[in-house]
Amino acid sequence: MPAPCQRYWTGIQPECSAPIHFFWNKARTKGLPDNYGDSIRIVQIGNLENNMCCGTHVTSLSQLEMIKLLRVEKGKKNKKKEEGKEQSTLLHFMVGRKQIFEKFNDMYSTESQLSSTLERQPCEIHATVLEMKESQKKAKQKIKALEEENVMLLIELFKEKKPTQEIFSLHRKDGDVDLLNFTARQFTNELKDNSVTLFLTVGEDEGNLLLAGNEKFLEQVGPVVSKIMSGRGQHRADKYRARVLMSGRKNAFKAFSEALASFQSAADQ
């Protein structure tokens, strides 16, 4: 170690280490290895805290070689507002010359890769990513608007076939829960009744299911459909929602259609 650094550590080390006292004591606690023994080491840092040590505390700050403060963030608020106690603060840091050098080497490598991929200088990366996120947000909004327009067209086509068709089925691999809710809401607004039963799904491998229609029918068939699709759901009023696997959609829709036919036949008698 160069002379200036050595003098620095020699001067500051005693001052930093002064409030740290080491002593041995007998204690019973949780989380220690079974073979640790009857005596444990306690590290007392001034009047701040006492820590049980399994060998990770140093005896001298010089053993750390280097300390790098990374960031500070607010900790969890105390649920019990005790007088004199403020919100905790989390200090993120690294110690050890080798570990810090390796970390910054990884960071520099990542920065270089991002700079090359984005074709931007390192100082421009953050602004570029923000622009990309904003563009992505606008693209999603346009896609959502197109999906909703498509649903409206499908509803219009369905209304023309309504006398011979009582189930409306829709699946969108790239859809989301908002699309399911929009479709169900538009059917209610357009048809003004509950005569059509909806079988709606979104997702590719795993996704969401929404059934809408007669409340008694959904109470009976909803759990059956979600079980076929390896999922679990919840029935509420005239809708049944579940998180399911799309691999079972074909069989689930077949069972759903057959159950609806039987339910309507029984209701007509």
Side-chain angles (χ1 to χ4, degrees):
M1 181 181 292
C5 293
Q6 183 63 49
R7 288 199 300 269
Y8 171 79
W9 279 112
T10 302
I12 197 173
Q13 180 181 309
E15 183 178 350
C16 293
S17 299
I20 303 178
H21 308 284
F22 301 92
F23 59 93
W24 293 84
N25 192 10
K26 290 186 177 181
R28 290 180 299 175
T29 183
K30 295 180 180 179
L32 291 175
D34 295 335
N35 60 351
Y36 192 80
D38 296 330
S39 297
I40 62 172
R41 182 186 185 213
I42 305 294
V43 179
Q44 181 182 18
I45 305 177
N47 59 355
L48 297 178
E49 61 179 349
N50 296 329
N51 286 327
M52 290 172 292
C53 174
C54 290
T56 56
H57 291 84
V58 297
T59 56
S60 171
L61 290 178
S62 62
Q63 294 176 351
L64 302 179
E65 294 185 322
M66 184 181 292
I67 301 176
K68 175 60 181 176
L69 302 181
L70 301 177
R71 69 180 188 277
V72 177
E73 63 183 33
K74 292 182 179 179
K76 295 181 179 179
K77 293 183 178 180
N78 294 322
K79 293 183 179 180
K80 297 181 180 179
K81 296 183 179 179
E82 300 179 19
E83 187 177 353
K85 286 193 175 182
E86 300 179 355
Q87 181 176 349
S88 61
T89 300
L90 299 179
L91 175 64
H92 296 260
F93 65 94
M94 295 183 64
V95 297
R97 186 184 303 275
K98 179 181 178 181
Q99 289 82 353
I100 292 175
F101 283 166
E102 288 179 349
K103 179 66 175 179
F104 275 82
N105 183 58
D106 291 341
M107 292 171 63
Y108 178 76
S109 177
T110 301
E111 180 185 79
S112 299
Q113 292 174 8
L114 286 172
S115 181
S116 175
T117 301
L118 299 175
E119 297 182 350
R120 294 289 189 274
Q121 294 297 321
C123 60
E124 300 173 330
I125 290 177
H126 182 255
T128 301
V129 172
L130 291 179
E131 291 175 2
M132 293 172 64
K133 290 181 67 176
E134 184 63 25
S135 298
Q136 184 185 45
K137 180 180 178 181
K138 292 180 179 179
K140 286 183 177 180
Q141 291 174 344
K142 290 181 180 180
I143 292 173
K144 181 179 179 181
L146 290 173
E147 287 177 339
E148 291 178 351
E149 288 181 13
N150 180 255
V151 167
M152 294 298 296
L153 289 174
L154 291 175
I155 291 176
E156 290 299 322
L157 291 174
F158 181 84
K159 287 167 64 177
E160 297 177 2
K161 301 178 182 179
K162 185 173 179 284
T164 59
Q165 193 173 1
E166 297 179 339
I167 299 179
F168 178 80
S169 175
L170 177 71
H171 175 68
R172 289 289 181 269
K173 289 183 178 180
D174 299 324
D176 55 16
V177 175
D178 288 339
L179 182 62
L180 295 181
N181 294 332
F182 175 82
T183 304
R185 185 168 59 251
Q186 289 305 123
F187 255 97
T188 301
N189 295 338
E190 291 292 325
L191 300 181
K192 307 297 182 182
D193 60 30
N194 201 26
S195 60
V196 177
T197 305
L198 307 182
F199 188 100
L200 313 175
T201 54
V202 291
E204 189 166 0
D205 297 323
E206 183 180 3
N208 292 283
L209 164 75
L210 189 151
L211 307 177
N214 182 278
E215 184 174 349
K216 291 184 178 180
F217 171 68
L218 294 182
E219 186 177 3
Q220 297 174 9
V221 78
V224 177
V225 171
S226 61
K227 184 177 181 180
I228 295 174
M229 299 182 74
S230 303
R232 296 180 63 182
Q234 184 176 13
H235 170 248
R236 186 175 182 180
D238 61 345
K239 292 181 178 61
Y240 183 90
R241 303 173 187 271
R243 185 73 179 170
V244 295
L245 298 180
M246 294 303 148
S247 57
R249 189 183 191 281
K250 183 177 180 180
N251 292 334
F253 182 72
K254 181 180 178 182
F256 181 81
S257 302
E258 293 174 351
L260 180 61
S262 299
F263 180 83
Q264 291 176 336
S265 176
D268 293 338
Q269 293 179 359

